[in-house]
Amino acid sequence: MSQLTQDYDHRDALLVVDMQNDFCPGGALAVAGGDALVPGINAEMDAAQRAGALIVASRDWHPVDHASFAHRGGPWPVHCVQDTPGAAFHADLALPETTIRVSKATAFDRDAYSAFDDTGLGNYLRERGIERVTVCGLALDVCVKATTLDALHEGFATRLLDDLSAAVDPDAIEDCRNTLTDAGAELCR
């Protein structure tokens, strides 16, 4: 479990990636242990909010017939379809009222793994004076990885809360960690 001692201030953003029902046990594209991350993420959000940091929650928000779905030739089962229970944030995730919610992969014809992909998030964070982004959520080897790499590419100092992220493929975790640290992300456990 990640320490509650992560430091935050008004120049920080905590980015919670895709903590949605379909990515948690029982969901269409479940990540083992995904729901077990919720208490730790809630504690991080509380610490971030108390310190004046911005909290951002991304979500897959697919149209019904999205290009990433297997029946359209994509790699994934149908998941996180707009306005369905599977696309909802986990019921125990205590998102503050001020949380910025970012919807991604909303176009029919292309997927988006990163919270920065065609969302304008990078510019929004810069406009708010954000200098550092802390990333956690689901799934480490897909959307968390893409979001972390894009945060770095956007020029933000970037931390990954490793203990508050879980992977679709447990065998990919070490390579993912290496890729992110080699790119410049700070790995926090």
Side-chain angles (χ1 to χ4, degrees), residues 14-20 38 41-46 49 54-59 87-102 136:
L14 174 61
L15 208 168
V16 178
V17 177
D18 300 0
M19 289 300 298
Q20 296 168 268
V38 172
I41 291 173
N42 284 343
E44 284 296 321
M45 287 191 296
D46 183 58
Q49 185 176 36
L54 185 68
I55 298 171
V56 178
S58 71
R59 63 183 179 180
F89 289 110
H90 190 283
D92 295 332
L93 191 67
L95 294 172
E97 272 186 38
T98 56
T99 301
I100 305 298
R101 290 160 174 84
V102 175
C136 61

Tab-separated table of all heavy atoms in Angstrom, residues 14-20 38 41-46 49 54-59 87-102 136:
chain	number	residue	atom	x	y	z
A	14	LEU	N	-2.993	15.088	-8.781
A	14	LEU	CA	-3.100	13.639	-8.607
A	14	LEU	C	-4.037	13.145	-9.694
A	14	LEU	O	-5.186	13.572	-9.764
A	14	LEU	CB	-3.654	13.300	-7.222
A	14	LEU	CG	-3.955	11.809	-6.974
A	14	LEU	CD1	-2.697	10.961	-7.096
A	14	LEU	CD2	-4.601	11.630	-5.605
A	15	LEU	N	-3.527	12.265	-10.549
A	15	LEU	CA	-4.301	11.775	-11.687
A	15	LEU	C	-4.670	10.309	-11.440
A	15	LEU	O	-3.812	9.432	-11.469
A	15	LEU	CB	-3.473	11.926	-12.966
A	15	LEU	CG	-4.238	12.121	-14.260
A	15	LEU	CD1	-3.312	12.549	-15.378
A	15	LEU	CD2	-5.042	10.931	-14.646
A	16	VAL	N	-5.942	10.067	-11.170
A	16	VAL	CA	-6.468	8.726	-10.906
A	16	VAL	C	-6.995	8.174	-12.229
A	16	VAL	O	-7.950	8.705	-12.794
A	16	VAL	CB	-7.581	8.788	-9.834
A	16	VAL	CG1	-8.157	7.398	-9.589
A	16	VAL	CG2	-7.042	9.407	-8.538
A	17	VAL	N	-6.369	7.112	-12.709
A	17	VAL	CA	-6.654	6.577	-14.039
A	17	VAL	C	-7.660	5.428	-13.983
A	17	VAL	O	-7.415	4.406	-13.324
A	17	VAL	CB	-5.347	6.112	-14.721
A	17	VAL	CG1	-5.634	5.488	-16.089
A	17	VAL	CG2	-4.364	7.267	-14.851
A	18	ASP	N	-8.794	5.614	-14.622
A	18	ASP	CA	-9.737	4.551	-15.002
A	18	ASP	C	-10.155	3.598	-13.881
A	18	ASP	O	-10.231	2.376	-14.088
A	18	ASP	CB	-9.179	3.740	-16.170
A	18	ASP	CG	-8.918	4.586	-17.409
A	18	ASP	OD1	-9.172	5.804	-17.363
A	18	ASP	OD2	-8.457	4.037	-18.411
A	19	MET	N	-10.463	4.130	-12.726
A	19	MET	CA	-10.951	3.295	-11.620
A	19	MET	C	-12.448	3.056	-11.813
A	19	MET	O	-13.289	3.539	-11.064
A	19	MET	CB	-10.642	3.961	-10.277
A	19	MET	CG	-9.170	3.944	-9.920
A	19	MET	SD	-8.468	2.274	-9.791
A	19	MET	CE	-9.442	1.587	-8.456
A	20	GLN	N	-12.754	2.287	-12.862
A	20	GLN	CA	-14.123	2.043	-13.301
A	20	GLN	C	-14.533	0.603	-13.036
A	20	GLN	O	-13.691	-0.300	-12.968
A	20	GLN	CB	-14.239	2.358	-14.794
A	20	GLN	CG	-13.992	3.830	-15.121
A	20	GLN	CD	-13.820	4.055	-16.597
A	20	GLN	OE1	-12.702	4.026	-17.095
A	20	GLN	NE2	-14.923	4.277	-17.302
A	38	VAL	N	-8.722	0.889	-4.110
A	38	VAL	CA	-9.605	2.017	-3.787
A	38	VAL	C	-9.292	2.668	-2.437
A	38	VAL	O	-9.161	3.894	-2.376
A	38	VAL	CB	-11.088	1.604	-3.899
A	38	VAL	CG1	-12.009	2.704	-3.391
A	38	VAL	CG2	-11.427	1.266	-5.357
A	41	ILE	N	-6.131	4.773	-2.762
A	41	ILE	CA	-6.339	5.921	-3.641
A	41	ILE	C	-7.192	6.972	-2.929
A	41	ILE	O	-6.923	8.176	-3.029
A	41	ILE	CB	-6.950	5.478	-4.984
A	41	ILE	CG1	-5.917	4.674	-5.786
A	41	ILE	CG2	-7.448	6.687	-5.785
A	41	ILE	CD1	-6.444	4.042	-7.059
A	42	ASN	N	-8.199	6.532	-2.199
A	42	ASN	CA	-9.006	7.487	-1.420
A	42	ASN	C	-8.135	8.257	-0.433
A	42	ASN	O	-8.295	9.475	-0.262
A	42	ASN	CB	-10.134	6.769	-0.686
A	42	ASN	CG	-11.272	6.379	-1.601
A	42	ASN	OD1	-11.410	6.878	-2.712
A	42	ASN	ND2	-12.105	5.463	-1.129
A	43	ALA	N	-7.207	7.564	0.232
A	43	ALA	CA	-6.313	8.226	1.182
A	43	ALA	C	-5.414	9.234	0.469
A	43	ALA	O	-5.195	10.345	0.970
A	43	ALA	CB	-5.476	7.190	1.929
A	44	GLU	N	-4.915	8.865	-0.710
A	44	GLU	CA	-4.088	9.802	-1.487
A	44	GLU	C	-4.896	11.021	-1.924
A	44	GLU	O	-4.406	12.152	-1.876
A	44	GLU	CB	-3.475	9.117	-2.710
A	44	GLU	CG	-2.313	8.226	-2.416
A	44	GLU	CD	-1.084	8.925	-1.857
A	44	GLU	OE1	-0.738	10.052	-2.283
A	44	GLU	OE2	-0.443	8.330	-0.974
A	45	MET	N	-6.131	10.800	-2.366
A	45	MET	CA	-6.968	11.934	-2.769
A	45	MET	C	-7.212	12.866	-1.592
A	45	MET	O	-7.193	14.089	-1.749
A	45	MET	CB	-8.293	11.454	-3.374
A	45	MET	CG	-8.142	10.856	-4.754
A	45	MET	SD	-9.715	10.564	-5.621
A	45	MET	CE	-10.488	9.334	-4.573
A	46	ASP	N	-7.430	12.290	-0.415
A	46	ASP	CA	-7.644	13.102	0.773
A	46	ASP	C	-6.404	13.944	1.081
A	46	ASP	O	-6.504	15.142	1.341
A	46	ASP	CB	-8.012	12.207	1.954
A	46	ASP	CG	-8.322	13.012	3.202
A	46	ASP	OD1	-9.237	13.863	3.155
A	46	ASP	OD2	-7.634	12.802	4.222
A	49	GLN	N	-6.042	16.658	-1.623
A	49	GLN	CA	-7.041	17.715	-1.467
A	49	GLN	C	-6.691	18.633	-0.291
A	49	GLN	O	-6.777	19.855	-0.404
A	49	GLN	CB	-8.434	17.113	-1.284
A	49	GLN	CG	-9.527	18.167	-1.246
A	49	GLN	CD	-10.903	17.567	-1.159
A	49	GLN	OE1	-11.111	16.548	-0.499
A	49	GLN	NE2	-11.855	18.192	-1.827
A	54	LEU	N	-4.655	19.592	-7.262
A	54	LEU	CA	-5.755	19.309	-8.176
A	54	LEU	C	-5.926	17.801	-8.277
A	54	LEU	O	-4.938	17.059	-8.324
A	54	LEU	CB	-5.427	19.885	-9.555
A	54	LEU	CG	-6.483	19.805	-10.635
A	54	LEU	CD1	-7.663	20.722	-10.278
A	54	LEU	CD2	-5.895	20.222	-11.975
A	55	ILE	N	-7.161	17.331	-8.302
A	55	ILE	CA	-7.429	15.908	-8.482
A	55	ILE	C	-8.145	15.721	-9.810
A	55	ILE	O	-9.138	16.405	-10.093
A	55	ILE	CB	-8.259	15.340	-7.316
A	55	ILE	CG1	-7.474	15.490	-6.006
A	55	ILE	CG2	-8.619	13.878	-7.578
A	55	ILE	CD1	-8.258	15.178	-4.768
A	56	VAL	N	-7.609	14.811	-10.616
A	56	VAL	CA	-8.152	14.507	-11.935
A	56	VAL	C	-8.451	13.013	-11.982
A	56	VAL	O	-7.633	12.202	-11.543
A	56	VAL	CB	-7.153	14.862	-13.057
A	56	VAL	CG1	-7.700	14.495	-14.429
A	56	VAL	CG2	-6.763	16.339	-12.996
A	57	ALA	N	-9.622	12.646	-12.492
A	57	ALA	CA	-9.974	11.236	-12.666
A	57	ALA	C	-10.300	11.003	-14.140
A	57	ALA	O	-11.216	11.630	-14.681
A	57	ALA	CB	-11.168	10.861	-11.793
A	58	SER	N	-9.529	10.128	-14.776
A	58	SER	CA	-9.813	9.795	-16.171
A	58	SER	C	-10.719	8.575	-16.227
A	58	SER	O	-10.799	7.796	-15.278
A	58	SER	CB	-8.521	9.539	-16.946
A	58	SER	OG	-7.932	8.314	-16.549
A	59	ARG	N	-11.387	8.446	-17.359
A	59	ARG	CA	-12.238	7.277	-17.565
A	59	ARG	C	-12.313	6.958	-19.054
A	59	ARG	O	-12.333	7.853	-19.901
A	59	ARG	CB	-13.645	7.520	-17.028
A	59	ARG	CG	-14.384	8.637	-17.742
A	59	ARG	CD	-15.743	8.884	-17.141
A	59	ARG	NE	-16.409	9.993	-17.840
A	59	ARG	CZ	-17.615	10.432	-17.530
A	59	ARG	NH1	-18.302	9.870	-16.559
A	59	ARG	NH2	-18.153	11.431	-18.204
A	87	ALA	N	-19.088	1.554	-16.984
A	87	ALA	CA	-18.287	2.758	-17.205
A	87	ALA	C	-18.234	3.654	-15.980
A	87	ALA	O	-17.415	4.574	-15.921
A	87	ALA	CB	-18.846	3.539	-18.393
A	88	ALA	N	-19.082	3.397	-14.998
A	88	ALA	CA	-19.119	4.231	-13.788
A	88	ALA	C	-17.846	4.026	-12.965
A	88	ALA	O	-17.249	2.950	-12.972
A	88	ALA	CB	-20.339	3.885	-12.947
A	89	PHE	N	-17.456	5.088	-12.254
A	89	PHE	CA	-16.351	4.948	-11.315
A	89	PHE	C	-16.758	3.967	-10.217
A	89	PHE	O	-17.931	3.868	-9.873
A	89	PHE	CB	-15.994	6.301	-10.696
A	89	PHE	CG	-15.330	7.251	-11.668
A	89	PHE	CD1	-15.989	8.376	-12.116
A	89	PHE	CD2	-14.043	7.011	-12.126
A	89	PHE	CE1	-15.388	9.251	-13.010
A	89	PHE	CE2	-13.426	7.873	-13.026
A	89	PHE	CZ	-14.101	8.999	-13.470
A	90	HIS	N	-15.783	3.240	-9.667
A	90	HIS	CA	-16.041	2.288	-8.595
A	90	HIS	C	-16.839	2.991	-7.491
A	90	HIS	O	-16.532	4.121	-7.104
A	90	HIS	CB	-14.712	1.755	-8.054
A	90	HIS	CG	-14.865	0.618	-7.124
A	90	HIS	ND1	-15.257	0.773	-5.812
A	90	HIS	CD2	-14.671	-0.716	-7.302
A	90	HIS	CE1	-15.297	-0.398	-5.224
A	90	HIS	NE2	-14.951	-1.329	-6.107
A	91	ALA	N	-17.849	2.314	-6.988
A	91	ALA	CA	-18.769	2.926	-6.018
A	91	ALA	C	-18.072	3.402	-4.749
A	91	ALA	O	-18.523	4.376	-4.129
A	91	ALA	CB	-19.874	1.926	-5.654
A	92	ASP	N	-16.982	2.778	-4.364
A	92	ASP	CA	-16.281	3.172	-3.140
A	92	ASP	C	-15.204	4.223	-3.370
A	92	ASP	O	-14.560	4.676	-2.418
A	92	ASP	CB	-15.659	1.942	-2.473
A	92	ASP	CG	-16.712	0.958	-1.987
A	92	ASP	OD1	-17.844	1.402	-1.667
A	92	ASP	OD2	-16.420	-0.244	-1.945
A	93	LEU	N	-14.993	4.621	-4.620
A	93	LEU	CA	-14.013	5.659	-4.918
A	93	LEU	C	-14.597	7.004	-4.489
A	93	LEU	O	-15.623	7.439	-5.007
A	93	LEU	CB	-13.690	5.663	-6.418
A	93	LEU	CG	-12.505	6.516	-6.848
A	93	LEU	CD1	-11.195	5.933	-6.301
A	93	LEU	CD2	-12.448	6.594	-8.372
A	94	ALA	N	-13.960	7.641	-3.535
A	94	ALA	CA	-14.489	8.875	-2.930
A	94	ALA	C	-13.943	10.107	-3.647
A	94	ALA	O	-13.132	10.866	-3.102
A	94	ALA	CB	-14.144	8.916	-1.448
A	95	LEU	N	-14.406	10.307	-4.882
A	95	LEU	CA	-13.954	11.466	-5.652
A	95	LEU	C	-14.508	12.741	-5.030
A	95	LEU	O	-15.724	12.880	-4.873
A	95	LEU	CB	-14.425	11.368	-7.101
A	95	LEU	CG	-13.845	10.223	-7.934
A	95	LEU	CD1	-14.551	10.146	-9.284
A	95	LEU	CD2	-12.348	10.403	-8.120
A	96	PRO	N	-13.637	13.695	-4.685
A	96	PRO	CA	-14.138	14.968	-4.175
A	96	PRO	C	-14.991	15.677	-5.232
A	96	PRO	O	-14.829	15.446	-6.434
A	96	PRO	CB	-12.854	15.762	-3.895
A	96	PRO	CG	-11.779	14.732	-3.752
A	96	PRO	CD	-12.182	13.612	-4.675
A	97	GLU	N	-15.876	16.543	-4.780
A	97	GLU	CA	-16.740	17.291	-5.715
A	97	GLU	C	-15.941	18.070	-6.737
A	97	GLU	O	-16.386	18.273	-7.861
A	97	GLU	CB	-17.625	18.276	-4.938
A	97	GLU	CG	-18.926	17.698	-4.470
A	97	GLU	CD	-19.806	18.764	-3.833
A	97	GLU	OE1	-19.837	19.915	-4.321
A	97	GLU	OE2	-20.469	18.418	-2.848
A	98	THR	N	-14.763	18.526	-6.356
A	98	THR	CA	-13.947	19.370	-7.237
A	98	THR	C	-13.112	18.567	-8.227
A	98	THR	O	-12.350	19.158	-8.999
A	98	THR	CB	-13.017	20.251	-6.389
A	98	THR	OG1	-12.221	19.398	-5.541
A	98	THR	CG2	-13.808	21.237	-5.542
A	99	THR	N	-13.244	17.249	-8.232
A	99	THR	CA	-12.474	16.408	-9.138
A	99	THR	C	-12.775	16.760	-10.591
A	99	THR	O	-13.929	16.871	-10.990
A	99	THR	CB	-12.787	14.917	-8.902
A	99	THR	OG1	-12.477	14.592	-7.549
A	99	THR	CG2	-11.997	14.027	-9.843
A	100	ILE	N	-11.709	16.919	-11.366
A	100	ILE	CA	-11.838	17.122	-12.807
A	100	ILE	C	-11.964	15.744	-13.434
A	100	ILE	O	-11.085	14.898	-13.262
A	100	ILE	CB	-10.602	17.855	-13.386
A	100	ILE	CG1	-10.345	19.173	-12.661
A	100	ILE	CG2	-10.736	18.026	-14.895
A	100	ILE	CD1	-11.458	20.184	-12.766
A	101	ARG	N	-13.049	15.510	-14.142
A	101	ARG	CA	-13.269	14.223	-14.793
A	101	ARG	C	-12.941	14.343	-16.279
A	101	ARG	O	-13.471	15.223	-16.953
A	101	ARG	CB	-14.713	13.771	-14.582
A	101	ARG	CG	-14.985	13.379	-13.134
A	101	ARG	CD	-16.470	13.403	-12.812
A	101	ARG	NE	-16.766	12.901	-11.480
A	101	ARG	CZ	-16.699	13.623	-10.369
A	101	ARG	NH1	-16.333	14.893	-10.433
A	101	ARG	NH2	-16.995	13.103	-9.193
A	102	VAL	N	-12.072	13.460	-16.741
A	102	VAL	CA	-11.610	13.486	-18.125
A	102	VAL	C	-12.061	12.217	-18.819
A	102	VAL	O	-11.712	11.111	-18.386
A	102	VAL	CB	-10.071	13.613	-18.181
A	102	VAL	CG1	-9.573	13.520	-19.614
A	102	VAL	CG2	-9.608	14.909	-17.536
A	136	CYS	N	-1.851	7.125	-10.658
A	136	CYS	CA	-2.171	5.814	-10.079
A	136	CYS	C	-3.439	5.294	-10.759
A	136	CYS	O	-4.124	6.045	-11.447
A	136	CYS	CB	-2.385	5.914	-8.569
A	136	CYS	SG	-3.744	6.987	-8.064
